[in-house]
Amino acid sequence: MAPRTTRPVGTPTRGTTNPNRLRRMDRWIAAVHGPALRRSPEPPLAVDLGYGAAPWTAVELLARLRTAEPRTRLYGIEIEPARVEAAKPYEEEGLSFLHGGFEVPVPGRVALIRAANVLRQYDEDQVAAVWARLCGRLAPGGLLVEGTCDEIGRRHVWVALDAAGPRTVTFATRLGSLDRPSDLAERLPKALIHRNVPGEPVHAFLRDFDRAWAAAAPYASLGARQRWIRSVRDLAADWPLADGPRRWRQGEVTVRWEALAPRT
């Protein structure tokens, strides 16, 4: 059972949300984590932590996860009681909304926790403890996905973690909106956003990505997707990427966490 607390752990967010805002993250989760969901002997349980003032992102996440594993169930969790009450009319079979926070007050352990745009208001030195607490609620093979996106979901960066800690960082964008890859720096998750300075790995990565993007300028005549793919191929010579062309074509690239982790 989930640990019991007298009050939810955490502080309320602004609650900003929009339909389809988290589509890039959702599609990545369904594609990458789908096999683990299907291997679950019991219907896998997912959590949308801090879904905001309206429940759209929780409803959409469940629909996308069910394309990978139809048995999936989902709890939307919010620290503001009024937001939970507003979401109750949207409950259906396999979808429920609960009052709670980082303690994740659901029965048993969960196959997936998605925490999008939740940690932006916290200090950087609080992130590791939150990650550890959330990962402690994962079932074997479970995944925590924590990151940040813009208001309409054009640019998004997230960290994927398992029980052992952070594994990868994914950069995702609508390619037509991109001037250069370092535009994504404004959406780095809390663990990395203050590290985009000379001497830190994430700064070096974005610098090299911009250089590869500039070198791939001749491919722009074939479209932004082809330019992105060419840039990522060049980037792979120096950085440990964790995905391939199938994901690159979606405007994504995933890097091993250890390559981007803060130096201190």
Side-chain angles (χ1 to χ4, degrees), residues 132-144:
R133 183 165 198 145
L134 295 178
C135 286
R137 298 291 292 117
L138 295 175
L143 190 72
L144 165 64

Side-chain angles (χ1 to χ4, degrees), residues 157-220:
V157 187
W158 60 82
V159 181
L161 308 92
D162 60 18
R167 314 304 296 172
T168 61
V169 183
T170 298
F171 299 78
T173 186
R174 187 173 76 82
L175 292 171
S177 72
L178 196 69
D179 184 31
R180 59 181 62 87
S182 61
D183 291 346
L184 287 159
E186 66 183 21
R187 297 302 164 182
L188 287 167
K190 193 66 177 189
L192 294 173
I193 193 165
H194 301 300
R195 302 304 181 127
N196 186 30
V197 294
E200 287 285 348
V202 70
H203 182 272
F205 173 78
L206 291 170
R207 177 203 63 204
D208 288 357
F209 206 167
D210 278 354
R211 289 173 177 171
W213 181 255
Y219 288 81

Side-chain angles (χ1 to χ4, degrees), residues 27-213:
R27 292 167 184 164
W28 182 88
I29 292 170
V32 173
H33 197 49
L37 298 177
R38 291 189 288 272
R39 288 193 297 269
S40 174
E42 301 294 330
L45 179 61
V47 167
D48 184 11
L49 182 63
Y51 56 84
W56 320 133
T57 60
V59 174
E60 292 165 352
L61 176 59
L62 179 59
R64 289 167 182 146
L65 292 179
R66 282 180 168 171
T67 66
E69 172 47 73
R71 300 176 300 153
T72 304
R73 299 172 296 133
L74 186 138
Y75 283 100
I77 296 178
E78 249 299 334
I79 201 167
E80 283 280 14
R83 296 175 186 172
V84 179
E85 288 305 310
K88 286 291 185 181
Y90 295 88
E91 290 188 335
E92 58 181 79
E93 181 65 29
L95 175 63
S96 300
F97 295 94
L98 296 175
H99 180 219
F102 295 139
E103 75 282 4
V104 187
V106 302
R109 296 188 180 273
V110 299
L112 169 74
I113 300 173
R114 185 189 67 181
N117 304 302
V118 170
L119 295 185
R120 293 280 285 188
Q121 64 187 352
Y122 289 82
D123 293 333
E124 181 185 351
D125 60 8
Q126 295 177 285
V127 172
V130 173
W131 279 357
R133 183 165 198 145
L134 295 178
C135 286
R137 298 291 292 117
L138 295 175
L143 190 72
L144 165 64
V145 181
E146 186 271 309
T148 305
C149 70
D150 66 2
E151 287 72 14
I152 59 175
R154 294 173 303 173
R155 298 172 185 174
H156 207 154
V157 187
W158 60 82
V159 181
L161 308 92
D162 60 18
R167 314 304 296 172
T168 61
V169 183
T170 298
F171 299 78
T173 186
R174 187 173 76 82
L175 292 171
S177 72
L178 196 69
D179 184 31
R180 59 181 62 87
S182 61
D183 291 346
L184 287 159
E186 66 183 21
R187 297 302 164 182
L188 287 167
K190 193 66 177 189
L192 294 173
I193 193 165
H194 301 300
R195 302 304 181 127
N196 186 30
V197 294
E200 287 285 348
V202 70
H203 182 272
F205 173 78
L206 291 170
R207 177 203 63 204
D208 288 357
F209 206 167
D210 278 354
R211 289 173 177 171
W213 181 255

